[in-house]
Amino acid sequence: MIVQNNGGKPPHIKFEILDRVPGLVHGVFTRHGGVSRPPYATLNVGLGNGDSADAVSKNLWRVTDALDLDCLVAGNQFHEDTIHLVDEEALSRAESRPPVLVTPPGDALVTRLRGIGLLIKIADCQSVFLADPVKRVIANIHAGWRGSVCGIVPKTVSFLKDRFGSDPRDILATVSPSLGPCCGEFRNYRDELPESFLPFRVRPEYFDFWAITWRQLVDSGLDGGHIQTAGLCTVCGTQDFFSYRGERSPGRMATVIAWER
């Protein structure tokens, strides 16, 4: 991974596998480089959690400027499997809250448009970037444990195949810093998780959701060599990341992928 931190812009993590794709920009932003005050310190991009709307707007502008984009697109995330195509028609219907265009609720965003950043907000959940450099289509997926159970990641791969003709062997995928196997405790896993997840139990009541996502991607036809996982646990890394499990943090981090304008 590459930590981008220059020109006074908010630091963000980049993946080598995506950084090699011409015209593609992306970043997993940390909790640093914003204007929010504690307990939202400092680059909180979550609205409706008690932070100042003005501070959140300034933080979102900093994210947009850091990647040199026209705007961001985001919707409320609700841990299910709704996928939204962000095209010209969708943008015409979106609510404008500069620099964000707000879509209906959903947990995956897909686009071929240039200059439009697909924004997913996280604090322990995974943000999974997908990029097909052949069909020139990208996706950003919000995958918490509930999203993993309902298969939001493989369903988004299928969406790219069905809508754009993507060959999964061409798709590149990355998994953001998120809940790691070290901290992935599920005391009620018998009620919450399917039996198919049991092989990913690393010790009693602990599960490796990084490995679950990797397996879902490979089973969807991706080449294992085209998948890069950050391998950073947000619960362990609260000095750099917002974490709901680690500190009951109300803050949310920005993850963005886009084609250059």
Side-chain angles (χ1 to χ4, degrees):
M1 292 182 301
I2 306 164
V3 178
Q4 195 76 26
N5 189 1
N6 61 343
K9 296 180 180 179
H12 53 280
I13 294 168
K14 298 170 65 179
F15 295 90
E16 290 93 340
I17 198 170
L18 298 181
D19 208 40
R20 295 192 291 264
V21 178
L24 186 67
V25 295
H26 70 285
V28 176
F29 289 80
T30 70
R31 66 184 300 162
H32 306 302
V35 300
S36 294
R37 297 183 177 182
Y40 310 97
T42 60
L43 196 70
N44 168 51
V45 296
L47 280 167
N49 57 7
D51 195 3
S52 157
D54 180 63
V56 174
S57 177
K58 289 177 179 177
N59 289 339
L60 288 165
W61 275 114
R62 291 190 178 199
V63 169
T64 306
D65 292 342
L67 298 179
D68 194 26
L69 299 174
D70 295 326
C71 67
L72 304 173
V73 175
N76 288 333
Q77 301 161 191
F78 58 114
H79 301 277
E80 295 187 7
D81 60 356
T82 300
I83 302 166
H84 288 302
L85 174 62
V86 179
D87 56 11
E88 294 289 358
E89 181 183 355
L91 292 184
S92 70
R93 292 184 278 105
E95 178 186 351
S96 181
R97 298 182 192 168
V100 179
L101 294 172
V102 182
T103 68
D107 288 277
L109 300 168
V110 177
T111 197
R112 298 177 84 175
L113 299 179
R114 293 183 175 274
I116 305 296
L118 304 180
L119 168 66
I120 291 293
K121 306 168 187 179
I122 59 169
D124 292 337
C125 292
Q126 297 175 12
S127 165
V128 180
F129 294 150
L130 301 180
D132 179 350
V134 177
K135 299 298 183 179
R136 303 296 288 179
V137 59
I138 52 175
N140 196 355
I141 308 167
H142 172 239
W145 69 265
R146 292 179 182 87
S148 296
V149 170
C150 69
I152 182 66
V153 170
K155 287 177 180 177
T156 306
V157 174
S158 293
F159 187 95
L160 299 189
K161 290 167 56 180
D162 297 341
R163 186 64 66 95
F164 298 100
S166 291
D167 184 336
R169 293 171 296 182
D170 294 328
I171 296 174
L172 309 175
T174 63
V175 180
S176 73
S178 49
L179 176 71
C182 47
C183 299
E185 182 181 18
F186 289 83
R187 295 180 181 177
N188 301 315
Y189 71 88
R190 293 179 180 84
D191 298 322
E192 295 172 339
L193 306 180
E195 287 189 10
S196 60
F197 284 13
L198 290 180
F200 302 96
R201 184 170 56 177
V202 293
R203 52 193 171 102
E205 300 182 345
Y206 283 76
F207 287 76
D208 185 348
F209 274 80
W210 298 339
I212 288 170
T213 297
W214 190 91
R215 174 47 57 189
Q216 289 180 336
L217 288 165
V218 169
D219 287 349
S220 297
L222 271 72
D223 183 329
H226 289 173
I227 304 168
Q228 186 175 3
T229 300
L232 297 173
C233 176
T234 47
V235 181
C236 294
T238 54
Q239 70 277 10
D240 292 315
F241 307 120
F242 291 122
S243 170
Y244 181 76
R245 285 198 182 210
E247 56 181 359
R248 288 295 185 266
S249 172
R252 294 294 181 269
M253 298 179 296
T255 72
V256 181
I257 187 168
W259 295 114
E260 289 179 347
R261 55 189 173 189

